Amino acid sequence: MTEQAPIKNQAELGGDEDKPLDPAVERVRRKMMRLMAISIGIMMIGLMAVLFAIVYKISARDEAAAPAGDTFETVIAIPPGAKIVSQSLSGDRLTLLAEHANGRQTIFIFDTAMRKVVGRIEVGSE
């Protein structure tokens, strides 16, 4: 059988791992390590903020959807002989454009959350 040579450690192979670093180089190394730790911390906080925002948006959208039992009925009084020309819904606001029999127009702004007309605008020339 052949005899194996003993394994030499790094110092015996000419490595300089055991020698202390120059003090200036050691200061630079410590600053770089500190900068790396701060950068990683900031990145982790940013990542957590983005994930929190995504979860918040998803959960807020689910809460905003009205459940099936949350319906209501109401009457928006428009003048006799008037007809609805157009409507628009934006968030909780419903806007109705009504045209009177004489040709004048009125815009009704209805708040669905408060369930009442919150504004009335007469459209026409002076």
Side-chain angles (χ1 to χ4, degrees), residues 56 58-67:
Y56 176 77
I58 290 172
S59 65
R61 182 175 36 184
D62 291 343
E63 291 172 4

Side-chain angles (χ1 to χ4, degrees), residues 1 11-12 19 27 37 40 55 63 70 74 89 114 119 121:
M1 295 204 135
E12 291 174 353
K19 286 195 267 181
R27 280 194 302 273
I40 289 173
V55 169
E63 291 172 4
D70 190 26
T74 190
L89 180 65
M114 296 180 351
I121 303 167

